[in-house]
Amino acid sequence: MSLVSVVIPRKYNLKSSASGDTITFPFITLLKPEYPVDKIKEGMHSQDLFVINSDKIYCLGICWVGSLQELLKHTTCSVYVLEDVYLRFKGQFDAAFSVYKENLNRFYVITDHSIAYQMYKEEKSV
């Protein structure tokens, strides 16, 4: 039996950009309860999370909207989104989270600290 290593592209080119700008894909990662979430800051990449504590994390792959919606539908886990990632895909995250209005307390945005999604939205709307 042979092992196959696949490199998932982390960036893609913006079609509307003549300068060849790229945008980084968001990733879905599962963190064990004892993972030090307080060490996560905006601007980090998925590999940075492995450096913090590689035996407490599992990368599920690119965070396509459908994948996120399925995860939210079948689990009650807390969801932490880095602020820079949230802002790049704001409409998609807002739409996915809005389905769970009765349980918005499971969503967080990480800036230089973790803040409840609902509180983050209220602060940004002022």
Side-chain angles (χ1 to χ4, degrees):
M1 176 165 74
S2 63
L3 296 175
V4 178
S5 174
V6 178
V7 177
I8 299 172
R10 294 182 333 172
K11 296 182 180 228
Y12 65 95
N13 294 327
L14 297 175
K15 291 182 181 178
S16 61
S17 173
S19 64
D21 290 337
T22 61
I23 190 165
T24 303
F25 285 125
F27 274 71
I28 294 177
T29 54
L30 297 179
L31 308 175
K32 289 185 178 180
E34 58 275 7
Y35 187 91
V37 175
D38 59 320
K39 293 187 178 186
I40 301 174
K41 305 292 182 232
E42 71 172 310
M44 296 178 102
H45 292 279
S46 57
Q47 288 94 348
D48 299 330
L49 302 180
F50 283 96
V51 171
I52 293 172
N53 197 330
S54 64
D55 64 337
K56 305 270 187 273
I57 184 171
Y58 302 96
C59 183
L60 298 183
I62 296 172
C63 180
W64 301 114
V65 175
S67 301
L68 176 61
Q69 290 169 334
E70 283 298 309
L71 184 66
L72 296 176
K73 182 171 35 172
H74 297 289
T75 71
T76 58
C77 62
S78 296
V79 176
Y80 296 86
V81 180
L82 301 178
E83 182 181 40
D84 55 317
V85 174
Y86 170 76
L87 293 173
R88 278 196 315 259
F89 301 95
K90 183 180 181 311
Q92 294 172 4
F93 282 114
D94 287 346
F97 296 167
S98 69
V99 174
Y100 302 93
K101 289 184 190 314
E102 74 287 346
N103 199 10
L104 285 176
N105 61 339
R106 71 190 263 206
F107 305 115
Y108 299 88
V109 176
I110 296 179
T111 57
D112 60 346
H113 64 286
S114 178
I115 181 171
Y117 167 75
Q118 205 165 5
M119 186 180 298
Y120 176 85
K121 296 281 289 177
E122 290 170 6
E123 286 180 5
K124 295 299 178 182
S125 67
V126 175

